[in-house]
Amino acid sequence: MLPRAPLYTERLCLRPYEPADAAAFFELLHADRPRFQPSFPDRLQAVRCLADADAALSAFADDWRTGRFYVFGIWHRAAGEYIGDICLMPQQKGQAEIGYYLAAAAEGQGYAREALTAVTEFGFGPVGSQRLLVRCFLSNERGQAVARAIGFQPEPPPKRPVWFRNSDAMSQIRRFWLVRM
């Protein structure tokens, strides 16, 4: 089991959630629910009220203990303000996927790049991943720019049969990979 320790960047503190974070976690999700719906429908479905937020944070702690999922809240160090979330989910064969979101007011200030850099180091370091994945909608130019800025490389779109029922949805997502050197 990896210790539940924070990661620090120049301006941010990424730390595993504590029970006292439930209100801030819920409020951010609730305030930006329409904006997050396309990318994080499962998270929004699971967190519909403050009690759900408590349960989600408890589940995140359990997932951390088992190594299934590592979820960090993102706080601005100087202001002490909660501004988003970033997670790393180990998969098979040394691969892990990273997902993140920021409050609308926190976008465009380089915070996502700082957080992604820290979690990439965490993934390749303590977690021991060999290959990391970030997925973005084609329309999410900012998200793609963040992945590229860290060194993630886009994967060519997969070839799917026309009859594949989710082919439209899959063609709207771009996958970016970074391999441990």
Side-chain angles (χ1 to χ4, degrees), residues 92-168:
Q92 296 178 3
K93 300 178 182 177
Q95 179 175 301
E97 182 171 353
I98 300 172
Y100 56 89
Y101 57 81
L102 294 175
E107 288 189 342
Q109 299 175 54
Y111 299 139
R113 189 175 321 121
E114 275 185 53
L116 183 57
T117 298
V119 170
T120 295
E121 292 169 5
F122 175 75
F124 286 144
V127 176
S129 300
Q130 299 300 308
R131 184 171 138 126
L132 300 175
L133 167 68
V134 171
R135 292 184 295 159
C136 299
F137 281 108
L138 289 177
S139 61
N140 184 354
E141 293 178 16
R142 278 184 162 167
Q144 292 179 52
V146 168
R148 283 187 171 105
I150 305 305
F152 282 77
Q153 298 298 310
E155 171 182 87
K159 295 191 187 294
R160 300 234 187 245
V162 174
W163 52 264
F164 186 72
R165 64 184 159 128
N166 289 327
S167 62
D168 289 340

Side-chain angles (χ1 to χ4, degrees), residues 8-9 17 32 34 55 71 76 103 109 117 121 129 139 142 174 178:
Y8 294 99
T9 70
Y17 287 102
D32 283 338
V71 185
H76 189 278
Q109 299 175 54
T117 298
E121 292 169 5
S129 300
S139 61
R142 278 184 162 167
R174 186 128 226 212
L178 187 61

Side-chain angles (χ1 to χ4, degrees), residues 17 24-26 28-29 73-76 80-85 101 103:
Y17 287 102
F25 174 70
F26 172 73
L28 190 148
L29 285 174
I74 304 171
W75 277 264
H76 189 278
E81 180 183 1
Y82 173 66
I83 61 170
D85 181 284
Y101 57 81

Side-chain angles (χ1 to χ4, degrees), residues 1-134:
M1 178 175 88
L2 294 177
R4 289 175 41 89
L7 307 175
Y8 294 99
T9 70
E10 182 181 337
R11 300 177 296 165
L12 304 175
C13 173
L14 285 60
R15 65 172 173 76
Y17 287 102
E18 299 296 334
D21 300 326
F25 174 70
F26 172 73
E27 288 168 16
L28 190 148
L29 285 174
H30 184 67
D32 283 338
R33 190 168 289 274
R35 200 168 60 85
F36 294 148
Q37 183 61 44
S39 299
F40 301 97
D42 294 341
R43 174 76 55 95
L44 296 176
Q45 179 70 24
V47 182
R48 294 181 174 200
C49 63
L50 184 55
D52 293 342
D54 288 325
L57 298 189
S58 178
F60 293 163
D62 291 341
D63 288 339
W64 190 292
R65 281 189 285 281
T66 64
R68 188 181 88 76
F69 202 39
Y70 301 99
V71 185
F72 296 90
I74 304 171
W75 277 264
H76 189 278
R77 288 173 69 179
E81 180 183 1
Y82 173 66
I83 61 170
D85 181 284
I86 190 164
C87 60
L88 183 134
M89 182 172 59
Q91 298 169 334
Q92 296 178 3
K93 300 178 182 177
Q95 179 175 301
E97 182 171 353
I98 300 172
Y100 56 89
Y101 57 81
L102 294 175
E107 288 189 342
Q109 299 175 54
Y111 299 139
R113 189 175 321 121
E114 275 185 53
L116 183 57
T117 298
V119 170
T120 295
E121 292 169 5
F122 175 75
F124 286 144
V127 176
S129 300
Q130 299 300 308
R131 184 171 138 126
L132 300 175
L133 167 68
V134 171

